[in-house]
Amino acid sequence: MPFRRREQPRQLAFEAVDELDDVDDPFAPRPPRPGAPSGPSDTPPDNLPPAATDGAAATDGAGTSGGEDGIVPVPTDPRARRRRRLVVTGVAGALVLVLGGLTALDMARARQADAELRTAHGGVVGLTQPPREVWGVDGGEAWPVFAGNRVLVSQDDALVAHDQATGEEVWRLESLAGFHCQADDASAATIAARTKVTCLGGGGAAELFPGDSSTMVAVVGLDGEVLARRDLDPARGLSGVLDDGDLVRGARDGRDVVITVEDAGTGEVRWTRTIPHDGATDQAEACEIQQEDGTTTRYPGLLHFYDAGGIISIGGCEVSATLTLEGETLPWDDEEGFVQPLRDGRLALTPWNGGATELLEADGTPVWSAEGSFLEPDATDGTAPPLLYSQNGSGFVALDEEGRELWTFSRYTNQILLTTQDLTVVATYPGAVAVDSMTGEEVWTWKAPDSDGSVASGSPVAFAGRGALTVVLGSERAADARWFSIDLADGSTRWSTKIPVDTWTLRSVDGRIFSAMPGKLRGFG
């Protein structure tokens, strides 16, 4: 089905005129229609006192205050004055209603747009002028975790929650000192919907294996209440936290691996799967650990796993597999290619040899395939059509929901900065190019300004705003990071500034920009 564009709001224009001709005076009495019954005459009766009949020769009932000075004549007949007041009042009331209705409609649309931005990937609200750092806190060695309107930092002496808007400390739990909460690469919508977080204590996280495995788990509400706390069954092995707060556990059974997903609060088992060993992964990098002095140690029991936004990737010595969150094993492993979780919940299986990528539903059901690997935009305002972009060569192809090709972008790129209902903005020489989202027709080009001698480093970071795209260009030195706001209407630069920041640390949560990394958290506004 073809995508339909939203109807754009129409503009209403009003024209003010200095004067009206007599024939156009809306307040002048009109002659009766032929055959119409005659009504009361506007001409005063003959028996009125002389003072009331001065100037009565004017057939419209006006007095003598008009004339060559251009002043509008004032009606002497009370009924004419009343009609004029009624008409003027009616017109003014109609204007108030129309303008008031337009204002209310605009405000409703603005609120809706902001709400979409808060849950959209890379969405930011209110960047009409250069941002500034409004707060910053020092953290521990773990990554900060975002949940609802809170951000949690694992300190050495406590688990601390801060308000996302102000950075103010909201609560502190010394009883959970040293606990590390769930890894945080979840979508903006998932973060906004969180009402609790899951934290592990007593050992290292699964990806830090072979450090001590975690021995305790705690579930904490956003108000600081500890909803559950329990010891972990050591027989189930290593522990990790999924985006939904459940635990994934992994233990060796001989050379095989047993994966268990359990409720974090109660320990109730959701499902269990056994991953058979695979001698093909008996390689040095899969079975050896590099020590601090540079030497390596063989560790046959080496195991690691992580949740990557909809899948559980398992690796280690003699084992490699990818599971869905429902426990289904995908017919794929790391030797054949890689699994890419898409933001719409589906999965993309891309072979290392550059063949066709297979699109799967979240449960592993095949949908269709396309040549090349999929690109996803860095940011969206929440209005973009459900397109996928397949890169097979220097450019990419836009595909609809059925896998049909809509248009091709032939210029070199490996990054889509932004998608909206109307535009797809692509990072390419000399900066960025915007094309129509449905036709691929070029709309405008934005040229990145001179770098002032700084050397570009890494890919641009993009954020979506209401009618604007914010691009952050990194450099070898964090102090040289340059920020630009690009008007989506014509590609012009609204504002630019320099804010010292490592671009790889930037992210948006609930419509705000943060710089988050182990040991340091900064909020911008």
Side-chain angles (χ1 to χ4, degrees), residues 396-455:
F396 64 87
V397 176
L399 306 170
D400 67 10
E401 290 183 290
E402 304 300 324
R404 293 185 295 261
E405 180 179 327
L406 295 179
W407 47 268
T408 299
F409 187 86
S410 57
R411 299 165 66 173
Y412 175 78
T413 185
N414 59 5
Q415 186 178 11
I416 299 175
L417 298 174
L418 170 72
T419 56
T420 71
Q421 174 182 277
D422 299 319
L423 295 178
T424 298
V425 185
V426 185
T428 189
Y429 181 83
V433 172
V435 299
D436 187 283
S437 289
M438 298 312 303
T439 67
E441 180 181 358
E442 185 172 323
V443 179
W444 50 256
T445 297
W446 176 76
K447 182 179 180 180
D450 193 312
S451 61
D452 298 328
S454 60
V455 179

Side-chain angles (χ1 to χ4, degrees), residues 485-499:
S485 177
I486 304 171
D487 194 314
L488 293 182
D490 56 12
S492 60
T493 299
R494 290 184 171 182
W495 53 257
S496 63
T497 189
K498 279 188 177 182
I499 301 178

